[in-house]
Amino acid sequence: MTNRVWMQGVEWLAAASADPRTCKWEWDHGEGVSLLEAGRFWDVLSVPDRLGLLTLDLLWRPSLPVPGPTLVDTAARRVGFFLPPDPSGGWIGAGLRYTSKGAWVAVPPPYRPARFLEWLVPPDGSGALHAPALLELALREANGTLAVLRPVCEER
């Protein structure tokens, strides 16, 4: 079952490439990372890692759908949430980076990490993405929590 889901995730993710065969070859035989263009099947909202990890934790509630694909970049200390394409890209906030049409995203294969990139929630091939409204609410809640914790942590 897991192998089938991984393969569906591979096919879905590689479809964002100009050459899916080369993309899959890079994952298996090259550097293990492929550059995929955002804006066609998905966009990516990248946030600082503390905010992103807390946000993802808040999205794992039993009452909510399973979160969409989420990627962590440990070198840049950022978490990327894959969202439906949105040409307006109305995400504004300190530390937020919105990647859409014309931009490229480095991604590892869904079945293993590569270098400093790892899937926290790998794509399952269904095309499911983060719901923007749910993500925004979770980001606001996480940001509020971090704002409260920051002064407490600085007192030490």
Side-chain angles (χ1 to χ4, degrees), residues 54-140:
L54 182 53
T55 299
L56 184 59
D57 189 52
L58 292 169
L59 290 169
W60 278 108
R61 293 180 178 161
S63 60
L64 297 177
V66 172
T70 308
L71 188 63
V72 65
D73 179 335
T74 57
R77 299 185 62 183
R78 300 194 64 83
V79 173
F81 297 93
F82 282 57
L83 299 158
D86 178 10
S88 68
W91 293 88
I92 300 170
L96 299 184
R97 296 180 192 156
Y98 191 72
T99 304
S100 191
K101 190 162 183 69
W104 298 84
V105 179
V107 296
Y111 47 85
R112 68 175 169 81
R115 292 192 231 164
F116 43 83
L117 297 170
E118 184 173 355
W119 290 101
L120 298 173
V121 181
D124 62 8
S126 71
L129 299 165
H130 284 279
L134 288 176
L135 180 59
E136 182 178 5
L137 289 173
L139 279 166
R140 286 176 188 239

Side-chain angles (χ1 to χ4, degrees), residues 5 12 15 29 45 47 53 55 76 79 91 100-102 108 138 147 155:
V5 171
W12 178 81
H29 307 289
L45 178 66
V47 302
L53 294 172
T55 299
V79 173
W91 293 88
S100 191
K101 190 162 183 69
E155 289 176 3

